[in-house]
Amino acid sequence: MSTLDPHNPRDLRMLAEQSNAWPFEQAKQIVARVRKKPKDEVLFETGYGPSGLPHIGTFGEVARTTMVRHAFRVLTEDKIKTRLIAFSDDMDGLRKVPDNVPNKEMLAQHLGKPLSRIPDPFSNEYPSFGAHNNARLRAFLDTFGFDYEFASSTDYYTSGKFDATLLLMLERIDEVMAIMLPSLREGRAATYSPFLPICPRTGVVLQVPIVDHDAKAGTVTYIDPGSTAGERVTVPVTGGHCKLQWKPDWAMRWVALGVDYEMAGKDLIDSVKLSGKICAALGGLPPEGFNYELFLDDKGQKISKSKGNGITIDEWLRYASPESLSLFMYREPKSAKRLYFDVIPRNVDDYQQFLEGFPRQDARQQLANPVWHIHAGHPPQADMPVTFQLLLTLVSSSNAENAATLWGFIARYRRGVTPQTHPKLDAMVGYAINYYRDFVAPTKRFREPSDVERAALQDLRDALSQLPAESTAEEIQNVVYEIGRREPFLDAVKKGKDGRPGVSLDWFNMLYQVLLGQEKGPRFGSFVAVYGLANSVAMIDGALARATRP
């Protein structure tokens, strides 16, 4: 056991320095950065493109950055102030109409305009499309209790917060162009400019060549694409009259705000490098960070805000707790993962297992436990009498359409446990009912047992009927195991406690496929203990009766 006290900031720092949990590994890079270039405040940033509704990938970036921020605070004993900015690129021009929004014809009339200057297609509640999506993002981040500051690109451009760095960018435009041009196709390179004027006449973000620039005056000149006479228009680069192409924009923001840490998706590796070079050309130091792998939908395609594939924020929270989503984000950030509905049950139950194991771990092990990072070093006490998978199976077996039915089973299995004493379990009961209705019930298919399986089910039915009503889950599991110790369910590799051949998963999978019409389930003894021996015997009788029908 560790002799260091995790409640002592100095000891906790020493433990963190030895930990290889990925948030600490990232935070160590920031510590080294601050040692080389000391500062009073460290700034963390996440980005959001409000051309589509916020999705789980957006949340994941904030959640992961928050974990790194907390790890940094531990490694510095909280002696350096930190801030987290959630930055919305709401001054970007709308390039195409998203698939998952109403009033598409109206949006199509505003293509090219900044998102903050396009009417809200959802309602009249917000002044713009960008404002609506920004509000959705803030509401969700607030639900999770994140400590962050929201920042709007439009506000920063128009208020003058970026003016000094924009003028610096104009002064060093040749250096910026030398970095960007080799990365562009020949046709694009011929017309490229880091500055995008906002057309005074139409309000559109213009992708036009800059024919002249004046660093002293702080202006750029372009030919109005809507003028038949080739009229030249000169606008300031400050005050929101121009915005930057997104890679120079990213670099400008790092310099203007002094960003120390920002992570990005694997698809932006080259962009991070280019923006880093531009940041250096402006005299700044590119932030620390890493490239996380992308989330994939059920077809293996990258999740997209505009397509609306994958899972939305609201959908996950219909079926599972916020903590389960945080666990999904914590796990293996550098590995590509499917983000679809079938990953939810595992993450719900795994979160509970990590929480239950936390008190039994020493201090070093606790710092490697995901719940330590999910809860900023203070995970709650575990108190979940049943698993999510077990609840799903109870709903499936009883066709429960309301929480009261499930609570009847739970109360018999765990006396004294009520919705009032266990509100989180009550919430999970609701999640299980929603998940069953939407995903399990539509795909429920009972298969016919073979003759051998039918005989085994009959023996299991008779054995369960002989057990005392107060039998424990472990006692029931032992009976289920012994009944399954026969061909074709024997496992010669996996031995039982008595040295005899064990029982393969085929036995347990058969029980769920034949009895419940689903591929897998929780520990069968635990399920029977909650569902009740009499109910379980009746369920087997029903399956056997189905099998005898012509």
Side-chain angles (χ1 to χ4, degrees):
M1 297 292 288
S2 173
T3 57
L4 297 175
D5 179 10
H7 301 290
N8 179 292
R10 178 178 175 276
D11 286 357
L12 182 59
R13 172 181 58 77
M14 295 174 65
L15 288 165
E17 289 173 343
Q18 300 167 19
S19 175
N20 60 1
W22 72 261
F24 285 123
E25 292 296 302
Q26 288 295 298
K28 289 171 189 175
Q29 296 177 19
I30 311 171
V31 171
R33 174 192 182 93
V34 175
R35 283 176 181 163
K36 291 179 181 177
K37 191 175 181 180
K39 57 188 303 191
D40 297 330
E41 178 182 272
V42 166
L43 183 63
F44 296 78
E45 183 183 54
T46 64
Y48 166 56
S51 59
L53 298 176
H55 61 75
I56 286 182
T58 312
F59 158 75
E61 198 168 295
V62 179
R64 288 167 170 169
T65 303
T66 296
M67 293 175 189
V68 176
R69 180 188 181 188
H70 177 253
F72 174 80
R73 294 177 60 186
V74 169
L75 286 168
T76 55
E77 298 181 35
D78 215 8
K79 293 178 180 178
I80 301 176
K81 182 181 178 181
T82 62
R83 293 166 56 216
L84 169 59
I85 289 182
F87 197 96
S88 171
D89 291 308
D90 59 5
M91 201 163 168
D92 286 358
L94 181 65
R95 296 193 303 271
K96 64 177 182 178
V97 177
D99 297 332
N100 56 343
V101 298
N103 294 313
K104 292 183 176 63
E105 291 184 3
M106 180 275 289
L107 284 180
Q109 297 173 14
H110 296 277
L111 286 175
K113 293 181 182 178
L115 296 161
S116 56
R117 297 172 186 173
I118 296 174
D120 179 9
F122 295 92
S123 68
N124 295 320
E125 184 178 355
Y126 298 97
S128 70
F129 184 27
H132 171 274
N133 288 347
N134 287 341
R136 289 285 298 271
L137 175 70
R138 290 197 303 272
F140 181 68
L141 297 181
D142 291 344
T143 299
F144 279 82
F146 287 119
D147 177 20
Y148 73 100
E149 300 169 29
F150 176 79
S152 157
S153 177
T154 300
D155 291 345
Y156 276 48
Y157 268 104
T158 57
S159 68
K161 290 183 179 180
F162 286 156
D163 281 0
T165 314
L166 288 168
L167 291 171
L168 179 61
M169 178 82 72
L170 184 60
E171 180 184 319
R172 302 185 182 178
I173 190 170
D174 291 339
E175 295 175 56
V176 175
M177 292 289 282
I179 293 168
M180 287 300 304
L181 291 181
S183 69
L184 304 173
R185 295 189 300 271
E186 184 176 349
R188 177 80 172 114
T191 60
Y192 180 85
S193 168
F195 290 94
L196 302 176
I198 311 298
C199 181
R201 181 171 47 81
T202 65
V204 170
V205 181
L206 296 175
Q207 296 264 0
V208 292
I210 298 301
V211 296
D212 194 14
H213 66 273
D214 187 333
K216 290 183 179 180
T219 61
V220 293
T221 301
Y222 65 94
I223 297 175
D224 185 349
S227 169
T228 56
E231 179 186 355
R232 294 164 68 95
V233 180
T234 299
V235 295
V237 299
T238 54
H241 296 283
C242 285
K243 75 171 299 294
L244 293 174
Q245 299 270 10
W246 80 270
K247 292 168 189 173
D249 179 274
W250 209 3
M252 179 275 296
R253 190 193 312 165
W254 291 343
V255 175
L257 304 180
V259 176
D260 295 290
Y261 185 87
E262 181 166 7
M263 61 178 67
K266 185 180 179 181
D267 56 335
L268 299 180
I269 289 177
D270 292 338
S271 300
V272 170
K273 292 178 180 177
L274 284 172
S275 295
K277 290 178 180 179
I278 296 172
C279 177
L282 298 178
L285 179 64
E288 307 300 319
F290 78 102
N291 294 99
Y292 54 82
E293 264 288 1
L294 305 178
F295 297 126
L296 309 176
D297 64 12
D298 59 324
K299 298 179 177 61
Q301 301 297 312
K302 174 190 170 185
I303 287 178
S304 163
K305 294 188 298 295
S306 59
K307 290 181 180 178
N309 56 339
I311 306 178
T312 68
I313 291 167
D314 294 335
E315 284 171 334
W316 186 291
L317 294 184
R318 171 173 165 78
Y319 306 117
S321 67
E323 293 84 2
S324 64
L325 177 54
S326 294
L327 174 61
F328 181 85
M329 295 304 170
Y330 176 86
R331 284 174 148 163
E332 301 173 333
K334 294 187 178 181
S335 298
K337 293 184 291 186
R338 289 178 72 254
L339 179 51
Y340 205 63
F341 298 102
D342 55 4
V343 307
I344 292 177
R346 177 195 167 195
N347 281 279
V348 174
D349 284 338
D350 284 358
Y351 167 77
Q352 292 301 327
Q353 289 182 11
F354 283 124
L355 203 60
E356 290 168 3
F358 187 81
R360 299 190 295 271
Q361 295 176 317
D362 65 28
R364 285 188 176 84
Q365 292 170 330
Q366 286 180 341
L367 264 63
N369 188 322
V371 298
W372 190 93
H373 299 274
I374 291 170
H375 295 285
H378 301 284
Q381 183 177 352
D383 191 16
M384 194 64 69
V386 297
T387 66
F388 188 63
Q389 186 65 64
L390 180 54
L391 286 177
L392 285 176
T393 306
L394 281 173
V395 180
S396 182
S397 59
S398 61
N399 291 314
E401 289 296 321
N402 58 73
T405 303
L406 282 183
W407 272 107
F409 295 122
I410 296 169
R412 182 176 58 197
Y413 179 61
R414 288 283 189 266
R415 298 190 183 280
V417 174
T418 68
Q420 290 71 38
T421 63
H422 289 70
K424 288 191 175 181
L425 176 56
D426 191 38
M428 195 160 79
V429 165
Y431 296 145
I433 292 173
N434 290 340
Y435 192 92
Y436 171 76
R437 287 173 178 167
D438 294 349
F439 301 111
V440 179
T443 61
K444 197 171 180 179
R445 299 289 184 274
F446 295 94
R447 78 166 176 83
E448 294 290 318
S450 66
D451 290 342
V452 173
E453 291 169 343
R454 179 179 170 80
L457 285 170
Q458 183 66 54
D459 290 345
L460 178 60
R461 179 246 183 249
D462 294 341
L464 293 178
S465 66
Q466 298 300 313
L467 286 175
E470 65 276 8
S471 297
T472 66
E474 191 63 33
E475 291 168 341
I476 296 170
Q477 182 72 9
N478 289 337
V479 170
V480 175
Y481 193 86
E482 282 303 316
I483 297 297
R485 189 177 268 180
R486 64 177 72 188
E487 292 292 354
F489 307 116
L490 291 177
D491 188 333
V493 177
K494 184 173 65 176
K495 300 293 184 180
K497 294 179 181 178
D498 55 7
R500 295 162 55 201
V503 178
S504 72
L505 288 176
D506 292 343
W507 163 242
F508 298 100
N509 290 341
M510 182 276 290
L511 294 178
Y512 287 107
Q513 292 163 5
V514 173
L515 300 180
L516 294 167
Q518 60 192 55
E519 288 301 312
K520 295 180 180 180
R523 202 163 187 258
F524 199 76
S526 298
F527 161 69
V528 173
V530 180
Y531 190 47
L533 284 164
N535 288 333
S536 300
V537 168
M539 180 175 62
I540 297 174
D541 285 341
L544 292 174
R546 284 196 304 271
T548 58
R549 291 171 191 161

